[in-house]
Amino acid sequence: MSVPILVIAAADDWPTDRVVAALGARGSEVFRMDTTDFPQQLALAGRIDEEHGWAGELSTDWRTVDLARVGAVYYRAPGPFGISEAMSGPEQQFAAAQARAGLGGVLSALECRWVNHPTAMARAEYKPVQLAAARASGLRIPPTLITNQAEAVRSFAEQVPGPLVSKPVASPIIVEEGLLKTVYTRKLSPSDLADLRGVDATAHLFQAWVEKAYEVRLTVVGERMLAAAVYAGSAAARVDWRSDYGALTYAVTDIPADVAAGVRRMMTRLGLRYGAADFVVDPQGRHWFLEVNPCGQWDWIQGATGLPIAEALADELEGIA
Amino acid sequence: MTTPIGPSHQAFPLTPPGGRYLHSNETPSGPDVRPWALRFATVPDSTGAVAVPACVYDQTQQVSLASDGGLLTCMANTHTPTVPDGDPDNPPPLDEGPKD
């Protein structure tokens, strides 16, 4: 008898729909929930004792799942808890903290396949952690500086042959003046480096520019490596391909065996079973690791290349090697 | 597998209340105060922006369905990425936008 698969994602996370549909087509039992539904539309009754691990039920008006039977969890950016707005602010904070530790704690304790376990995902979100794991796994990484010191930037620029790029260490998005703005990766000119006021305002990331033949978006699902070459057709896209999607073309590609082995070691170090990794391939064919996003988008790559990513995720959740 | 233990507030990451990006009409501060990286903040080109179609969440299938009864994609059935257009209510999904 198949075991239930728990899907924890925002209801409007449409890529997750594809995974749910793939699982449904196989006849798998799926219980999809969003943390936003807790505690008003999602009920939890979990128990543990000396005889048994966490057991009990998660239930909605539509279905119920036995926690003890859950065989796998797909965890992808669920929403904030749906705490009653009738509470005072302090009451809401208290209730949200209890929900995180209660529901989040019970779910986190489930011993089953995770794609990805939220604790591993939270840690792996940090770019410095990713770079350290990649380096320790034998992957090639560009020299990188993270600092709030202008003098350290000048020194780094002198030591690194060739240009530098800057990019946000965390989310690149800011909303100000009523507008959503974003900070793309920028290839720095000498004039950019001439005035470094504001570097001391927070942490900044600087990295050696790597000449690009093309880039690779490597979607890793369990042991599977689904690689797409990304070819940039504009100057902006050659620096940061997200800045000019219209100028991109894609093709299914392969990655060298030593890179694949390094990626598997890195994923193990990070405790991840899914990741969207970005590489630069230089004119000599060498692969340079830039980052791995444990919650990275994949649906448009599947649409552009036909890579069977949703099916791979369903396989991983079902424990099919 | 050993699971690393992070700070308690990160051990079960959720989208923050109010959304991933807080709306603001504040104006930028000056160059002595503003983070240097924000000198390069731009409103993304909206040329390729794709409107997200109306949809409903189907509790039976546990997916969102478009008006034709089919699945949506994050790119609204176009297989092109959602391009942020400066509207705070139309943020890029997850890692769409500069490398985050």
Side-chain angles (χ1 to χ4, degrees):
Chain A
M1 184 174 65
S2 66
V3 293
I5 294 170
L6 179 60
V7 173
I8 307 174
D12 63 356
D13 188 63
W14 302 318
T16 295
D17 291 355
R18 294 197 175 279
V19 179
V20 171
L23 290 167
R26 300 173 181 201
S28 300
E29 179 184 345
V30 175
F31 184 97
R32 180 171 180 171
M33 56 162 277
D34 184 357
T35 36
T36 296
D37 296 334
F38 188 80
Q40 302 194 57
Q41 287 90 39
L42 175 69
L44 164 70
R47 301 181 305 275
I48 189 169
D49 57 31
E50 289 187 15
E51 297 293 321
H52 303 97
W54 281 107
E57 290 181 349
L58 276 176
S59 58
T60 66
D61 287 344
W62 293 272
R63 54 186 57 80
T64 296
V65 67
D66 179 352
L67 290 169
R69 291 186 57 237
V70 171
V73 183
Y74 184 59
Y75 186 93
R76 183 177 155 85
F81 293 113
I83 304 299
S84 169
E85 293 183 358
M87 295 184 197
S88 69
E91 290 166 348
Q92 289 183 33
Q93 289 185 6
F94 176 87
Q98 302 303 311
R100 183 187 296 275
L103 176 65
V106 169
L107 295 177
S108 295
L110 295 180
E111 295 185 358
C112 61
R113 290 184 296 281
W114 281 85
V115 184
N116 285 308
H117 193 284
T119 307
M121 181 182 290
R123 179 173 179 270
E125 287 283 354
Y126 290 113
K127 276 190 173 68
V129 172
Q130 297 173 12
L131 287 166
R135 176 186 173 278
S137 302
L139 295 173
R140 184 177 282 108
I141 61 171
T144 302
L145 170 72
I146 296 176
T147 186
N148 66 335
Q149 297 292 303
E151 189 51 42
V153 180
R154 295 188 191 95
S155 176
F156 187 61
E158 289 174 4
Q159 292 166 12
V160 171
L164 299 182
V165 297
S166 66
K167 53 187 170 185
V169 191
S171 171
I173 303 294
I174 182 171
V175 179
E176 59 184 2
E177 302 176 300
L179 293 170
L180 183 146
K181 302 177 183 178
T182 188
V183 182
Y184 294 117
T185 297
R186 182 177 180 87
K187 189 176 179 182
L188 300 174
S189 65
S191 62
D192 290 329
L193 293 167
D195 180 1
L196 293 172
R197 286 178 296 166
V199 164
D200 60 357
T202 186
H204 285 74
L205 188 153
F206 298 86
Q207 199 165 59
W209 165 255
V210 179
E211 288 297 330
K212 300 176 180 180
Y214 58 96
E215 297 189 62
V216 169
R217 163 53 68 93
L218 177 65
T219 306
V220 186
V221 184
E223 301 303 310
R224 297 182 66 177
M225 303 276 157
L226 302 140
V230 182
Y231 298 98
S234 72
R238 273 188 283 280
V239 177
D240 187 332
W241 51 256
R242 293 165 178 81
S243 68
D244 192 0
Y245 279 106
L248 304 181
T249 54
Y250 308 90
V252 175
T253 190
D254 293 316
I255 57 169
D258 62 326
V259 174
V263 169
R264 290 193 176 95
R265 287 191 292 270
M266 176 186 69
M267 296 293 281
T268 299
R269 279 182 174 272
L270 294 173
L272 300 178
R273 298 298 291 172
Y274 170 83
D278 288 318
F279 286 86
V280 169
V281 181
D282 70 17
Q284 290 74 45
R286 297 174 300 188
H287 286 59
W288 296 78
F289 171 86
L290 295 181
E291 65 180 325
V292 59
N293 189 332
C295 198
Q297 192 54 269
W298 52 266
D299 196 26
W300 100 101
I301 284 285
Q302 174 170 291
T305 64
L307 285 167
I309 301 172
E311 292 294 330
L313 286 163
D315 285 346
E316 178 67 16
L317 290 165
E318 290 198 312
I320 300 171
Chain B
M1 181 179 74
T2 301
T3 300
I5 303 300
S8 61
H9 67 283
Q10 295 178 334
F12 200 77
L14 308 172
T15 302
R20 282 180 285 140
Y21 313 115
L22 294 177
H23 289 214
S24 174
N25 289 311
E26 289 189 71
T27 55
S29 60
D32 291 320
V33 176
R34 185 169 170 86
W36 178 84
L38 289 178
R39 294 182 184 196
F40 312 116
T42 59
V43 175
D45 177 10
S46 64
T47 306
V50 176
V52 177
C55 60
V56 293
Y57 185 79
D58 182 280
Q59 292 287 358
T60 303
Q61 298 183 59
Q62 302 184 91
V63 296
S64 292
L65 297 177
S67 56
D68 64 0
L71 288 182
L72 294 168
T73 73
C74 60
M75 308 74 149
N77 288 338
T78 65
H79 288 310
T80 55
T82 301
V83 178
D85 58 4
D87 180 353
D89 293 321
N90 183 31
L94 299 175
D95 74 336
E96 291 187 12
K99 305 178 192 313
D100 63 347

